[in-house]
């Protein structure tokens, strides 16, 4: 997964966790709010319903109190005996006997007053069995009440009235006969009063389920009330009592459970929050780790290719625009891995990583791009040479790993960041320079130059031309004679590739390495083998030598291909010699050996080409079973210079002949060289002196000339 993908994935997950948590919280809060609303509404409604009931009960209590006194008054006032007695002499005594005396201790009234028909004279006035002054006790209201009662006749007038000590209910009614016959004279008025005292309130309270009922001058906060009004409608006091608040009572009952539920909910929400937060944090850490991993190399801890490109991309256009990128490739790292194992190779990478990271203060970032390839970003004004020398100096001394001394070199490709070239292009340029540095040999540093691109372009063009040339048979074979050193007779011919183009001939020294590099060598090799065999079939009795590239020899299918080609063309394998250079023996000895052994089994011979210009030893000749060795042209031409070259050459040749390996001398240009080499023991000669490479046609006519 790329860092972007990983990052995006984790971001989506984090977002969904946060969203889920928030959803959860919101839903929980909304539910809590709804529940709270329901509970408070229910509580309040229950309280209000009961308060309304209590208020109705209070009014009913007052009404019952009024009704009772009113009924008592009517029972006594509408009474034939009373009517007669009050209008007769001795009325006061009668009144006392029937009412005043009773008032001493009577539950229905506390006092009784009889006012004469003149509405002012007191016939009888007793309170709690004792005479009293109603005018003084009740004030002027009393006479208004009496007036009203006298006027209203039959119905009793009942009102609350303020007394000296509190509030009393007073009912007044004209004293009249039960049966009314004709017009009555002016009547006396009977008034009963009952103190609205604690005792009465207690009774009302228990009768009407109004706990805590009492009288108060004014409404009291927190208490329910109902006003008590007098005859004129003025408020004389208030009945007050506490609300039973049954809803609140119920709420008090369930409160512990509600509280517990709220605490649990809060804990739960806190838990959800914590879990959500920790999960989000964990995912964030994962994302950070994924991003780090995607941008870093696990072995060295340095940036990787992606990380480097990201860094270069971020720095694009900023003040921190790196002026230079250096690619460093280790020389000989593969050999370390092969020789000491990968653990040591890994250690070396780590040591080199550390050293590169700290090599110069202007090197602000180091990345590992591949096995043994590093990139350094320089920001600053230090010269390129200074940085390159610093880097190369790190490899001047061998590294010490577990007591082993390990020597590796480095090649450097540098590229300056011009204008606003994109990071990939910068990397490509440095890579280009590195490629050239490695081509030039180890321990080199090269800076990118547009010429490198142009050259690459030319090579690419040449490659495609070469491909076409191999395909359409434009590559031809010419043949150079190989003659016997003793008789001078032509014994064989060496096939050499020729590429003639419209703009001139291209040397095999150029197109052979090109074909090797771009993977065309197998096709070219087969083509050369095929063409030269086809020609050689016309020259029976002569041996054919064909040059084979080390790259071909390393191809495991090479031997089979050659054998089937020989079968197809019906060519005797014993006539064929394959010339190979020593390089392959060094780089891939096992595969080379397999191919050589396989081909030798069918009778094909092998010649070691260019002997003496490289490292190949006579021992290697034997080891690989070469049938012949060809002394390199450079050794032959060296014979012309006055040096001890001739002695070395002679010694080499005699060593080979002692080992019964015949020697060919190539590149002979004059008879002096020919004489020396013949005397030194070469049995075969080749060179411009004997014959230049010629077309097949020329060879055929030359052979005919000789035969004639
Ligand atoms: P080589 O195999 O050593 O071939 C001999 C080269 O020396 C040839 O160059 C030949 O023309 C040149 N030569 C021969 N006698 C003289 C002489 O007296 N004086 C001088 N100055 N040069 C002489 P050429 O044809 O240019 O080939 C160069 C190399 O290219 C060959 O070296 C061989 O390694 C490679 N090559 C040529 N054709 C083929 C091929 O078909 N396949 C492969 N794999 N390599 C080929
Ligand atoms: Ca050759
Ligand atoms: Ca040669």
């Amino acid at each position: 997964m790329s860092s972007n993908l990983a990052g995006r994935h984790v971001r989506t997950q984090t977002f969904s966790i946060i969203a889920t948590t928030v959803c959860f919280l919101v839903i929980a809060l909304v539910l809590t709010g709804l529940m709270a609303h329901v509970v408070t509404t229910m509580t309040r409604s229950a309280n209000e319903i009961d308060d309304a009931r209590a208020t109705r009960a209070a009014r009913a209590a007052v009404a019952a109190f009024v009704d009772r006194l009113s009924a008592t008054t009517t029972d006594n006032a509408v009474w034939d005996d009373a009517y007669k007695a009050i209008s007769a002499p001795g009325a006061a005594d009668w009144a006392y006997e029937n009412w005043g005396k009773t008032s001493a201790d009577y539950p229905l009234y506390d006092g009784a007053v009889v006012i004469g028909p003149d509405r002012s004279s007191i016939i009888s006035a007793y309170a709690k069995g004792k005479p009293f002054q109603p005018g003084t006790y009740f004030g002027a209201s009393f006479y208004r009440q009496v007036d009203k009662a006298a006027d209203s006749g039959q119905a009793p007038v009942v009102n609350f009235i303020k007394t000296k000590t509190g509030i009393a209910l007073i009912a007044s009614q004209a004293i009249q006969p039960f049966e009314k016959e004709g017009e009555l004279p002016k009547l006396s008025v009977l008034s009963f009063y009952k103190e609205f005292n604690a005792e009465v309130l207690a009774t009302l309270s228990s009768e009407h389920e109004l706990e805590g009922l009492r009288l108060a001058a004014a409404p009291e906060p927190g208490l329910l009330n109902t006003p008590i009004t007098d005859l004129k409608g003025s408020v004389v006091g208030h009945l007050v009592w506490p609300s039973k608040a049954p809803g609140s009572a119920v709420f008090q009952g369930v409160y512990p459970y509600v509280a517990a539920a709220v605490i649990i909910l809060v804990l739960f929400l806190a838990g959800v929050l914590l879990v959500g937060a920790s999960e989000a944090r964990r995912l964030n850490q994962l994302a950070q780790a994924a991003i780090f991993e995607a941008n870093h190399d696990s072995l060295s801890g340095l940036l990787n290719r992606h990380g480097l490109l990201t860094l270069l991309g971020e720095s694009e256009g900023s003040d921190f625009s790196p002026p230079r990128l250096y690619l460093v490739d280790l020389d000989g790292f593969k050999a370390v891995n092969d020789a000491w194992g990968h653990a040591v190779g890994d250690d070396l990478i780590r040591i080199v990583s550390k050293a590169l990271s700290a090599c110069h203060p202007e090197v602000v970032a180091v990345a590992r791009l591949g096995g043994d390839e590093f990139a350094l970003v320089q920001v600053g004004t230090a010269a390129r040479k200074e940085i390159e020398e610093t880097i190369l100096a790190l490899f001047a001394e061998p590294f010490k790993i577990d007591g082993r001394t390990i020597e590796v070199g480095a090649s450097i490709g540098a590229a300056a960041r011009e204008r606003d070239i994109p990071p990939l292009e910068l990397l490509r340029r440095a890579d280009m320079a590195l490629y050239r540095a490695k081509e030039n040999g180890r321990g080199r540093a090269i800076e990118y130059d547009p010429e490198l691109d142009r050259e690459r372009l030319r090579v690419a063009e040449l490659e495609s031309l070469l491909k076409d040339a191999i395909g359409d048979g434009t590559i031809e074979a010419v043949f150079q004679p190989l003659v016997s050193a003793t008789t001078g007779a032509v014994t064989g011919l060496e096939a050499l590739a020729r590429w003639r183009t419209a703009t001139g001939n291209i040397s095999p020294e150029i197109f052979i390495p090109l074909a090797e590099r771009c993977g065309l060598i197998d096709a070219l090799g087969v083509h050369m083998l095929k063409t030269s065999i086809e020609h050689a079939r016309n020259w029976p009795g002569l041996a054919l030598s064909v040059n084979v590239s080390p790259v071909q020899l390393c191809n495991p299918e090479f031997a089979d291909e050659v054998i089937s080609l020989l079968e197809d063309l019906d060519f005797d394998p014993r006539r064929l010699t394959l010339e190979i250079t020593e390089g392959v023996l060094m780089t891939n000895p096992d595969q080379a050996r397999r191919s050589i052994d396989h081909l030798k089994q069918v009778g094909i011979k092998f010649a070691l080409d260019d002997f003496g210009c490289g490292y190949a030893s006579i021992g290697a000749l034997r080891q690989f079973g070469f049938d012949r060795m060809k002394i390199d042209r450079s050794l032959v031409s060296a014979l012309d210079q006055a040096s001890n070259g001739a002695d070395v050459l002679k010694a080499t040749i005699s060593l080979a002949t002692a080992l019964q390996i015949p020697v060919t001398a190539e590149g002979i240009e004059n008879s002096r060289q020919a004489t020396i080499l013949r005397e030194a023991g070469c049995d075969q000669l080749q060179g411009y002196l004997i014959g230049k490479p010629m077309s097949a046609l020329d060879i055929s006519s030359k052979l005919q000339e000789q035969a004639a």
Side-chain angles (χ1 to χ4, degrees):
M1 196 165 15
S2 84
S3 70
N4 282 349
L5 264 179
R8 204 173 319 139
H9 180 68
V10 171
R11 268 198 298 282
T12 322
Q13 281 197 347
T14 310
F15 177 77
S16 60
I17 283 178
I18 291 173
T20 311
T21 310
V22 168
C23 265
F24 219 85
L25 288 181
V26 167
I27 289 172
L29 285 175
V30 166
L31 282 180
T32 312
L34 284 175
M35 290 308 294
H37 180 71
V38 166
V39 168
T40 49
T41 306
M42 277 170 59
T43 305
R44 200 179 50 235
S45 299
N47 287 348
E48 280 170 2
I49 289 168
D50 193 71
D51 287 351
R53 176 205 63 81
T55 307
R56 275 197 310 277
R59 289 201 191 113
V62 171
F65 184 44
V66 168
D67 285 352
R68 207 176 298 155
L69 190 64
S70 155
T72 306
T73 309
T74 303
D75 283 351
N76 286 275
V78 183
W79 183 15
D80 293 344
D81 290 355
Y83 177 61
K84 272 186 214 135
I86 293 303
S87 37
D93 292 338
W94 194 92
Y96 173 71
E97 279 303 322
N98 282 282
W99 298 321
K101 205 163 138 192
T102 324
S103 72
D105 180 24
Y106 192 55
L108 293 180
Y109 50 82
D110 291 327
V113 179
V114 180
I115 301 293
D118 59 354
R119 301 184 183 185
S120 58
S121 59
I122 300 168
I123 294 170
S124 169
Y126 283 89
K128 290 281 171 194
K130 292 201 173 71
F132 82 117
Q133 275 303 317
T136 318
Y137 191 67
F138 295 121
S141 312
F142 174 71
Y143 288 102
R144 268 199 296 279
Q145 160 114 350
V146 171
D147 261 357
K148 218 172 165 202
D151 289 342
S152 76
Q154 287 172 330
V157 174
V158 191
N159 280 303
F160 283 99
I161 193 161
K162 235 188 158 105
T163 69
K164 276 195 148 163
T165 52
I167 294 172
L169 182 68
I170 178 158
S172 307
Q173 193 169 13
I175 302 170
Q176 52 196 289
F178 197 76
E179 296 286 337
K180 210 167 97 187
E181 284 160 12
E183 190 67 20
L184 290 177
K186 284 197 167 192
L187 299 172
S188 301
V189 172
L190 170 64
S191 299
F192 283 153
Y193 82 89
K194 177 86 182 151
E195 297 280 359
F196 202 29
N197 57 16
E199 201 184 323
V200 172
L201 286 169
T203 313
L204 291 180
S205 166
S206 75
E207 279 174 5
H208 294 272
E209 288 179 38
L210 290 167
E211 270 166 45
L213 189 69
R214 60 184 172 82
L215 262 176
E220 288 179 15
L223 294 180
L224 298 172
N225 72 82
T226 189
I228 310 267
T229 49
D230 68 2
L231 180 62
K232 286 193 290 181
S234 339
V235 175
V236 290
H238 286 83
L239 267 181
V240 297
W241 69 98
S243 167
K244 267 191 172 163
S248 304
V250 170
F251 181 74
Q252 288 300 326
V254 298
Y255 178 75
Y257 302 99
V258 173
V262 167
I263 289 170
I264 290 170
L265 185 72
V266 165
L267 288 177
F268 178 66
L269 290 185
V272 167
L273 259 179
L274 280 177
V275 169
S278 94
E279 191 60 10
R281 201 177 318 119
R282 194 181 67 83
L283 278 176
N284 195 37
Q285 281 167 352
L286 269 181
Q288 295 300 331
I291 289 169
F292 184 87
E293 217 168 274
N295 286 308
H296 289 78
D297 166 51
S298 57
L299 172 60
S300 62
L302 298 175
L303 290 173
N304 58 17
R305 190 183 159 84
H306 183 268
L308 174 73
L309 287 174
T310 309
L311 177 86
L312 291 174
E314 280 165 1
S315 72
E316 224 171 334
S318 72
D319 291 345
F320 157 75
S321 224
R324 235 177 228 109
L325 181 70
Y326 299 84
L327 289 193
V328 178
D329 191 281
L330 303 191
D331 299 324
F333 177 70
K334 190 181 174 301
V336 173
N337 261 343
D338 291 347
W340 306 108
H342 287 270
V344 174
D346 287 354
D347 280 349
L348 179 63
I349 290 293
R350 275 189 280 263
I351 292 171
V352 169
S353 299
K354 241 191 203 146
L356 287 174
S357 298
C359 73
H360 195 281
E362 286 191 5
V363 170
V364 296
V366 180
R368 178 169 174 243
L369 305 186
D372 60 349
E373 193 172 312
F374 298 87
L376 283 73
V377 180
Q378 178 210 352
V379 177
T381 50
R384 178 173 69 87
K385 279 259 166 299
E386 182 186 328
I387 304 287
E388 286 169 353
E389 275 162 19
T390 315
I391 296 170
L392 290 177
L394 297 176
F395 299 90
E397 294 290 317
F399 294 91
K400 296 262 189 238
I401 298 174
D402 295 342
R404 299 181 181 95
T405 303
I406 293 173
E407 216 162 337
V408 283
S411 303
I412 303 173
R417 187 166 205 174
E418 288 163 13
R419 293 179 309 277
D420 43 354
I421 56 164
L424 263 177
E425 171 61 10
L426 184 66
L427 198 60
R428 189 196 69 80
R429 290 184 177 187
D431 201 40
M432 196 85 173
L434 176 66
Y435 185 76
R436 171 46 59 92
K438 286 187 90 75
E439 249 182 1
N440 287 3
R442 298 170 162 217
R444 307 288 177 99
I446 297 272
E447 183 170 38
Y448 168 80
D449 186 300
E451 183 55 34
L452 293 176
D453 276 337
R454 288 193 279 275
E455 203 182 295
R456 158 87 51 109
L457 211 66
R458 282 197 294 275
V459 169
E461 276 168 18
L462 203 62
E463 259 176 41
S464 96
L465 285 176
L466 179 63
K467 196 173 177 185
D468 295 345
I470 296 168
D472 60 23
T474 317
I475 307 274
E476 288 171 10
V478 292
F479 299 88
Q480 187 174 30
L482 294 154
V483 300
S484 157
T486 45
T487 65
V490 176
T491 53
L493 295 157
E494 179 182 358
L496 293 162
R498 289 291 174 268
W499 183 14
R500 295 180 227 279
T501 70
T503 50
N505 297 348
I506 297 170
S507 161
E509 312 263 9
I510 291 183
F511 70 81
I512 296 294
L514 179 67
E516 285 174 344
R517 274 205 302 274
C518 67
L520 289 170
I521 192 65
D522 289 321
L524 177 59
V526 169
H527 169 75
M528 280 302 294
L529 202 62
K530 199 171 163 219
T531 352
S532 35
I533 288 174
E534 275 166 355
H535 289 301
R537 286 201 300 195
N538 300 326
W539 311 316
L542 289 188
L544 173 68
S545 289
V546 179
N547 292 286
V548 167
S549 153
V551 180
Q552 284 175 272
L553 209 63
C554 291
N555 177 356
E557 281 149 33
F558 174 69
D560 287 333
E561 267 173 23
V562 174
I563 292 167
S564 75
L565 190 72
L566 290 174
E567 279 169 5
D568 288 352
L569 298 175
D570 192 22
F571 191 79
D572 183 0
R574 285 166 302 180
R575 284 178 62 194
L576 182 64
T577 300
L578 297 182
E579 296 189 5
I580 55 172
T581 50
E582 63 187 22
V584 67
L585 310 179
M586 304 287 181
T587 55
N588 201 346
D590 295 338
Q591 184 56 45
R593 192 185 197 109
R594 272 196 289 277
S595 296
I596 292 171
D597 287 351
H598 191 172
L599 290 166
K600 274 176 76 85
Q601 271 168 18
V602 298
I604 294 172
K605 290 191 258 309
F606 279 86
L608 181 63
D609 210 352
D610 301 345
F611 186 87
C613 71
Y615 306 95
S617 64
I618 304 260
L621 266 171
R622 286 264 292 201
Q623 199 190 333
F624 287 88
F626 280 99
D627 304 284
R628 177 168 288 281
M629 135 179 152
K630 291 185 85 173
I631 297 281
D632 191 58
R633 203 172 71 217
S634 58
L635 297 189
V636 174
S637 56
L639 288 175
D640 292 349
Q641 283 126 42
S643 69
N644 61 354
D647 298 334
V648 175
L649 196 55
K650 279 177 199 159
T652 308
I653 294 165
S654 40
L655 202 58
T657 42
L659 289 169
Q660 287 170 338
I661 295 171
V663 181
T664 303
E666 62 177 13
I668 299 175
E669 293 183 348
N670 54 54
S671 42
R672 185 176 158 263
Q673 290 168 346
T675 311
I676 297 175
L677 289 159
R678 197 181 292 121
E679 279 169 6
C682 290
D683 73 328
Q684 199 174 53
L685 304 179
Q686 186 186 20
Y688 289 175
L689 178 72
I690 294 115
K692 288 200 169 182
M694 285 172 275
S695 70
L697 210 67
D698 289 349
I699 293 285
S700 290
S701 50
K702 208 159 186 145
L703 287 173
Q704 268 167 12
E705 262 173 49
Q706 275 185 2

